């Protein structure tokens, strides 16, 4: 019977084996790797990844990562490739074949077609002298001492090395292409990630209902303006220049201190030098600015011209961050 202590030890040993494999992998980057990156970057087509089994699952992920970071890629299951899908490989494409052993029969049967059509072949294997490695134009050797599986059978360390090598290739190509966060956002328009990178303050802020008073505005006017726009705040202007902001908190604190309500003006209530955000800034940046400054509103400006107010509660209602 395996107890809790044994389970923790097994988990720690598995992680240690994986780390050892990654440390060895970090020493294997050489001229062959550089040539692979150059080949993919200079190709006029896409990178086609072909594999099957557990390596196929990793291949799908590598393809997805490449596509989302600026390198066109596709995945073909090796069995499907042998039953017609080789036709999707075009002149100018580069093919990467992934196999732990480098002896996968389905992959070896694909090589003659690729060579006949002058399609460059990259192989990703754990066995450098393998037939697949020897028949490739370039081989990325991700040799491991053993699988992290206690029987040294289930693909564990080997698939980790495949996955990390795929990430390395994708990131290196992305760097070469100067792929920016704004480019990444174009490929991820939906979900939390897309919202962080695409939603701007101007897409969200109501520029029609803009709460504002001047420094001489009476308390009654201030309250009406704050209530009318339902933002819990109003900006204070003097000659169209932003000089302060009045929030619900400012109003409450002042009313607790003073009893001569009729003579209170906006200047008495306001907090000077309010935090601002440009209307073309990312909404996520506005959210972080409010969170980091422990405030609930930001004054929205176009350059220095007052445009409106954005409230953290309205951002949270979007449920996007």
């Amino acid at each position: 019977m395996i107890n809790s202590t044994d389970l923790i030890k097994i988990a720690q040993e598995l992680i240690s084996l994986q780390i050892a494999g990654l440390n060895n992998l970090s020493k294997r980057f050489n001229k062959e790797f550089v040539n692979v990156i150059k080949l993919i970057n200079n190709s006029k087509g896409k990178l086609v990844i072909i594999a099957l089994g557990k390596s196929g699952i990793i291949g799908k992920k590598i393809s997805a990562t490449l596509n989302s970071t600026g390198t066109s890629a596709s995945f073909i299951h090796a069995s499907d490739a042998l039953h017609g899908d080789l036709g999707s490989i075009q002149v100018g494409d580069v093919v990467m074949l992934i196999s732990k052993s480098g002896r996968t029969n389905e992959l070896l049967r694909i090589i003659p077609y690729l060579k006949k059509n002058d399609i460059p072949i990259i192989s990703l294997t754990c066995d450098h002298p393998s037939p697949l490695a020897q028949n490739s134009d370039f081989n990325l050797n991700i040799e491991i001492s053993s699988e992290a599986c206690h029987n040294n059978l289930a693909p564990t360390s080997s698939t980790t090395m495949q996955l990390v090598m795929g990430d390395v290739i994708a990131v290196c190509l992305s760097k070469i292409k100067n792929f920016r966060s704004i480019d990444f956002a174009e490929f991820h328009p939906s979900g939390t990630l897309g919202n962080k990178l695409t939603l701007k303050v101007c897409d969200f802020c109501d520029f029609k209902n803009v709460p504002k008073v001047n420094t001489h505005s009476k308390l009654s006017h201030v309250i009406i303006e704050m209530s009318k726009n339902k933002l819990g705040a109003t900006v204070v202007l003097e000659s169209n220049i932003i000089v302060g902001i009045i929030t619900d908190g400012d109003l409450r604190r002042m009313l607790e201190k003073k009893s001569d309500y009729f003579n209170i003006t906006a200047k008495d209530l306001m907090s000077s030098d309010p935090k601002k955000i440009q209307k073309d800034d990312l909404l996520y940046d506005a959210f972080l600015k409010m969170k980091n400054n422990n405030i609930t509103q930001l004054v929205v400006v176009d350059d220095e011209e007052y445009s409106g107010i954005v409230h953290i509660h309205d951002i949270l209602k979007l449920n996007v961050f």
Side-chain angles (χ1 to χ4, degrees), residues 40 46-52 55-67 72-78 81 89 93-99 107 110 122 124 166 169:
I40 299 171
K46 61 186 178 298
L47 176 62
V48 180
I49 299 171
I50 305 177
L52 78 165
S55 296
I57 296 171
I58 299 299
K60 288 181 181 179
K61 193 275 178 185
I62 294 174
S63 174
T65 300
L66 286 162
N67 280 315
S72 180
S74 66
F75 173 80
I76 304 176
H77 192 279
I89 301 174
D93 289 345
V94 175
V95 169
M96 177 183 288
L97 306 174
I98 304 177
S99 168
L107 295 181
I110 292 170
I122 303 166
L124 186 58
I169 292 170

Side-chain angles (χ1 to χ4, degrees), residues 98-211:
I98 304 177
S99 168
K100 175 189 174 182
S101 67
R103 292 173 170 76
T104 305
N105 184 54
E106 290 88 345
L107 295 181
L108 294 174
R109 290 171 62 188
I110 292 170
I111 289 177
Y113 172 85
L114 299 176
K115 288 186 174 295
K116 179 183 176 182
N117 289 278
D118 295 322
I119 305 295
I121 304 170
I122 303 166
S123 60
L124 186 58
T125 66
C126 292
D127 188 353
H128 185 63
S130 67
L132 186 59
Q134 297 303 312
N135 284 282
S136 302
D137 296 298
F138 300 98
N139 174 252
L140 296 177
N141 180 15
I142 54 170
E143 183 180 352
I144 57 171
S145 58
S146 67
E147 296 286 6
C149 162
H150 65 286
N151 291 317
N152 193 25
L153 294 173
T156 44
S157 294
S158 59
T159 48
T160 297
M161 301 311 117
Q162 292 171 354
L163 182 63
V164 171
M165 179 61 82
D167 287 342
V168 169
I169 292 170
V171 172
C172 285
L173 289 167
S174 184
K175 283 273 192 179
I176 291 173
K177 298 173 188 292
N178 193 28
F179 194 76
R180 303 161 302 163
S181 59
I182 189 65
D183 302 314
F184 191 86
E186 289 183 6
F187 296 156
H188 299 77
S190 185
T192 300
L193 187 57
N195 288 320
K196 283 183 178 180
L197 296 171
T198 58
L199 277 181
K200 293 184 178 181
V201 173
C202 60
D203 298 325
F204 173 77
C205 192
D206 182 1
F207 296 115
K208 293 181 180 179
N209 299 310
V210 182

Side-chain angles (χ1 to χ4, degrees), residues 166-297:
D167 287 342
V168 169
I169 292 170
V171 172
C172 285
L173 289 167
S174 184
K175 283 273 192 179
I176 291 173
K177 298 173 188 292
N178 193 28
F179 194 76
R180 303 161 302 163
S181 59
I182 189 65
D183 302 314
F184 191 86
E186 289 183 6
F187 296 156
H188 299 77
S190 185
T192 300
L193 187 57
N195 288 320
K196 283 183 178 180
L197 296 171
T198 58
L199 277 181
K200 293 184 178 181
V201 173
C202 60
D203 298 325
F204 173 77
C205 192
D206 182 1
F207 296 115
K208 293 181 180 179
N209 299 310
V210 182
K212 57 186 177 181
V213 296
N214 60 53
T215 52
H216 302 296
S217 295
K218 296 294 185 180
L219 175 61
S220 57
H221 184 191
V222 171
I223 294 174
I224 291 171
E225 191 69 9
M226 291 173 66
S227 301
K228 180 176 67 176
N229 293 283
K230 298 179 180 179
L231 289 168
T234 183
V235 164
V236 183
L237 301 176
E238 190 171 273
S239 301
N240 290 323
I241 296 174
I242 300 168
V243 294
I245 187 172
I246 301 172
T247 66
D248 287 334
D250 294 322
L251 188 62
R252 185 174 60 254
R253 285 186 290 272
M254 183 58 70
L255 291 176
E256 289 174 352
K257 293 178 181 178
K258 289 196 174 186
S259 58
D260 187 12
Y261 304 144
F262 294 105
N263 293 319
I264 294 176
T265 64
K267 189 174 183 179
D268 300 319
L269 294 164
M270 72 180 191
S271 297
S272 301
D273 194 24
K275 299 294 183 183
K276 303 171 187 173
I277 190 87
Q278 292 291 327
K279 70 181 185 66
D280 289 325
D281 285 352
L282 291 174
L283 188 61
Y284 184 63
D285 290 338
F287 170 73
L288 289 180
K289 195 168 189 176
M290 284 187 271
K291 185 178 178 182
N292 293 337
N293 287 280
N294 196 28
I295 56 178
T296 56
Q297 299 99 347

Side-chain angles (χ1 to χ4, degrees), residues 31-50:
K31 189 174 181 180
E32 188 88 343
F33 169 78
V34 173
N35 288 334
V36 165
I37 298 298
K38 289 181 177 179
L39 172 65
I40 299 171
N41 184 59
N42 295 330
S43 69
K44 295 181 179 179
K46 61 186 178 298
L47 176 62
V48 180
I49 299 171
I50 305 177

